[in-house]
Amino acid sequence: MTQSTAQNPIRTDAIIVGAGPVGLFAVFELGLNDIKCHLIDILDRPGGQCAELYPEKPIYDIPAIPVCTGTELTEKLLEQIKPFHPVFHFGQMAEKLEKTAEGKWRVSTDMGTVVEAGILIIAAGGGSFMPKRPPIKGIEAFEGKSVFYAVRKMEQFRGKKIVIAGGGDSALDWVVNLQPIAKHVTLVHRRDEFRAAPDTVLKMRSLVAEGVMDLKIANLTALNGENGQLREVMLTEEGKPPHALACDNLLAFYGLTMKLGPVANFGINLHENLIPVDTATFETGTPTIFAIGDINSYPGKMKLILSGFHEAALMAKKAFVYVHPDRRYRFQYTTSSSDLQSKLGVADAAE
């Protein structure tokens, strides 16, 4: 895709900030109403909290699905929205919101992507996931230069000596993915137990056994380098004095925390860091901006995924009026509407 700029933005019908379950289902409801979507999410994959915080944790309150994991729910939602060809911008934070001279919303991300649309849907859960900074003095001087909390371009680590810190899925996934292209990878974790998927842990241990990477059961205590470039990290292992480990880059995966982030600066009315909405449409106090899911607030609000699905359906009805002002909204059932079945690619099967 050609790099977008303020002078040459991506244009679409709707921008969805947040690609968790509610944001994904919004694609479905908007798609039924002939509304095309681009989604922006700070994570490197769809699914929001489901994918990042409890991918294997069972969920019991999705209608008609007695039990499923966060990963399974995300996969089913992605399959459901395939007919509508949504475009995802992962690993990017929606950083700036502007109104154009034509009355559109222009969202710019921290990676330079610029998207314009007639409506904006905020489905960011409790806010943006922000990486937890390791408690190491002076780490700020290295951030974005040789210390990173996410991998956006694998190539920048080719031929480098990398230390990866953490014991969850992100840390172990990147150990396995970067080991073939890095000069050397060392995984550092405070204990010899991991929260990652068992298969990934097994792959990591196999690489260690083959001698192509190292595993250190230790704590990171300090960073040494100049002008933002790491030279070495200091490790403390049980029963040993602190010692240095030479490296070019540190990838720290110490978990995530929730913050409202730049959404707080979008000029939208907030109440206790949540966005009040009209429950008939889930529109905010700013026309053409909607908020669905855990980020919104209204009397009787229940922070459930199924509540967010309901909100997405009513939001899409009002969004249709803005996106297609020359057309009359017609309520239809997917079970009986040949038009909706055609959009879903199931018209032949329904006959």
Side-chain angles (χ1 to χ4, degrees), residues 3-12 100 106-107 113-116:
Q3 178 65 39
S4 61
T5 63
Q7 291 73 37
N8 184 34
I10 298 165
R11 291 185 170 86
T12 188
T100 70
R106 175 186 293 159
V107 175
T113 301
V114 182
V115 188
E116 285 185 7

Side-chain angles (χ1 to χ4, degrees), residues 48-74:
Q49 287 189 44
C50 283
E52 195 66 21
L53 300 185
Y54 44 91
E56 296 185 357
K57 182 179 178 181
I59 302 171
Y60 299 102
D61 60 355
I62 303 300
I65 303 177
V67 60
C68 68
T69 65
T71 297
E72 289 168 343
L73 177 61
T74 300

Side-chain angles (χ1 to χ4, degrees), residues 303-322:
K303 291 191 174 185
L304 296 172
I305 294 172
L306 64 90
S307 299
F309 290 168
H310 156 77
E311 295 164 12
L314 291 183
M315 173 277 298
K317 179 181 177 183
K318 181 61 181 289
F320 177 89
V321 175
Y322 288 128

Side-chain angles (χ1 to χ4, degrees), residues 21-342:
V22 175
L24 295 177
F25 190 67
V27 173
F28 179 81
E29 291 295 330
L30 292 166
L32 293 178
N33 286 285
D34 296 323
I35 298 173
K36 297 180 177 63
C37 304
H38 279 240
L39 297 92
I40 299 169
D41 200 297
I42 195 170
L43 297 179
D44 61 0
R45 68 194 83 179
Q49 287 189 44
C50 283
E52 195 66 21
L53 300 185
Y54 44 91
E56 296 185 357
K57 182 179 178 181
I59 302 171
Y60 299 102
D61 60 355
I62 303 300
I65 303 177
V67 60
C68 68
T69 65
T71 297
E72 289 168 343
L73 177 61
T74 300
E75 288 172 350
K76 290 180 183 295
L77 287 164
L78 287 171
E79 182 180 356
Q80 188 176 37
I81 65 177
K82 265 185 184 178
F84 303 117
H85 308 292
V87 180
F88 294 93
H89 304 278
F90 291 125
Q92 303 188 46
M93 179 182 287
E95 197 169 51
K96 185 179 180 183
L97 177 66
E98 304 168 279
K99 196 74 174 281
T100 70
E102 295 78 25
K104 304 288 187 181
W105 292 113
R106 175 186 293 159
V107 175
S108 304
T109 77
D110 60 343
M111 293 292 286
T113 301
V114 182
V115 188
E116 285 185 7
I119 60 171
L120 172 67
I121 300 110
I122 301 173
S128 298
F129 286 99
M130 306 295 288
K132 291 180 180 176
R133 176 182 283 149
I136 300 173
K137 185 179 179 180
I139 193 172
E140 297 90 342
F142 298 95
E143 290 175 341
K145 298 174 182 176
S146 56
V147 171
F148 303 94
Y149 303 115
V151 176
R152 294 182 176 176
K153 293 183 179 179
M154 287 180 60
E155 278 301 309
Q156 77 180 98
F157 301 105
R158 183 175 291 277
K160 300 290 182 67
K161 290 178 289 185
I162 304 170
V163 171
I164 296 178
D169 283 304
S170 293
L172 275 291
D173 283 347
W174 285 117
V175 163
V176 172
N177 285 304
L178 290 174
Q179 187 278 325
I181 69 170
K183 183 175 182 179
H184 189 76
V185 171
T186 301
L187 175 64
V188 177
H189 190 44
R190 66 185 184 277
R191 62 178 187 272
D192 197 18
E193 297 174 6
F194 299 90
R195 304 182 308 279
D199 181 61
T200 313
V201 175
L202 184 61
K203 288 178 182 176
M204 178 273 292
R205 293 197 186 279
S206 296
L207 292 172
V208 172
E210 292 168 21
V212 296
M213 65 162 286
D214 291 322
L215 169 63
K216 298 285 188 183
I217 307 305
N219 286 307
L220 276 172
T221 56
L223 308 178
N224 296 320
E226 298 84 27
N227 301 317
Q229 178 55 55
L230 271 181
R231 182 178 69 254
E232 61 189 18
V233 298
M234 298 299 296
L235 302 180
T236 301
E237 297 181 60
E238 188 174 352
K240 297 180 181 180
H243 62 279
L245 176 64
C247 69
D248 300 307
N249 294 118
L250 168 65
L251 297 176
F253 299 104
Y254 280 42
L256 300 165
T257 187
M258 295 290 286
K259 292 184 179 178
L260 194 57
V263 169
N265 302 319
F266 279 6
I268 303 167
N269 181 39
L270 296 174
H271 177 67
E272 296 181 351
N273 274 349
L274 296 173
I275 304 174
V277 291
D278 174 359
T279 53
T281 62
F282 293 92
E283 194 166 12
T284 70
T286 303
T288 67
I289 296 183
F290 301 82
I292 56 177
D294 286 358
I295 199 150
N296 72 15
S297 172
Y298 56 87
K301 169 72 177 183
M302 295 182 71
K303 291 191 174 185
L304 296 172
I305 294 172
L306 64 90
S307 299
F309 290 168
H310 156 77
E311 295 164 12
L314 291 183
M315 173 277 298
K317 179 181 177 183
K318 181 61 181 289
F320 177 89
V321 175
Y322 288 128
V323 177
H324 302 296
D326 56 333
R327 293 167 55 183
R328 184 172 65 88
Y329 178 83
R330 285 195 308 132
F331 176 77
Q332 302 176 84
Y333 294 104
T334 55
T335 51
S336 57
S337 168
S338 58
D339 175 50
L340 296 184
Q341 290 168 4
S342 176

